[in-house]
Amino acid sequence: MAWVCEMHPCYVCDLEGYLNFHRIQFHHLQGIHRIGAMIRDDSTGIPICFEHHQELTFKYGERKFWERLQVDPFNYSQELYSQYKEKHNDTK
């Protein structure tokens, strides 16, 4: 989680053309069929700034937030997880 937040900008800001490294949080994706808090899986997380995390959580909810942006964040989370595994397998 720390590696993602330290090394990557907010996924949403980056999609919108901004590089926002300010107040980055790790958002555990819940999936389109899940509602509420579920088991946290660090392999399905993305970096997201505080402002977008608040918007996702309190204004739209998981499904509507990503539908509104017309993206599937799971693809990006899998890409990040693959990069993380590569980096940490090389150091062992």
Side-chain angles (χ1 to χ4, degrees):
M1 289 176 15
W3 175 81
V4 169
C5 293
E6 291 170 3
M7 303 300 291
H8 298 85
C10 170
Y11 178 56
V12 179
C13 290
D14 197 30
L15 288 173
E16 295 174 345
Y18 302 104
L19 286 178
N20 185 356
F21 285 94
H22 181 66
R23 297 178 8 171
I24 299 297
Q25 300 175 346
F26 189 86
H27 176 69
H28 292 93
L29 298 169
Q30 299 296 311
I32 62 169
H33 301 293
R34 296 183 183 172
I35 299 173
M38 293 292 189
I39 296 172
R40 303 287 188 223
D41 181 0
D42 292 346
S43 70
T44 59
I46 57 166
I48 191 166
C49 69
F50 177 80
E51 289 80 11
H52 282 120
H53 199 235
Q54 292 292 101
E55 192 175 292
L56 183 155
T57 304
F58 299 110
K59 186 173 182 182
Y60 294 107
E62 185 90 20
R63 278 184 244 164
K64 287 183 183 176
F65 184 80
W66 299 117
E67 285 173 5
R68 190 176 129 265
L69 293 172
Q70 298 178 342
V71 295
D72 182 359
F74 278 99
N75 295 332
Y76 184 60
S77 71
Q78 294 307 299
E79 183 181 314
L80 288 174
Y81 189 62
S82 293
Q83 289 175 17
Y84 175 80
K85 285 192 324 187
E86 265 183 42
K87 182 180 185 329
H88 285 77
N89 285 336
D90 290 345
T91 60
K92 290 183 180 178

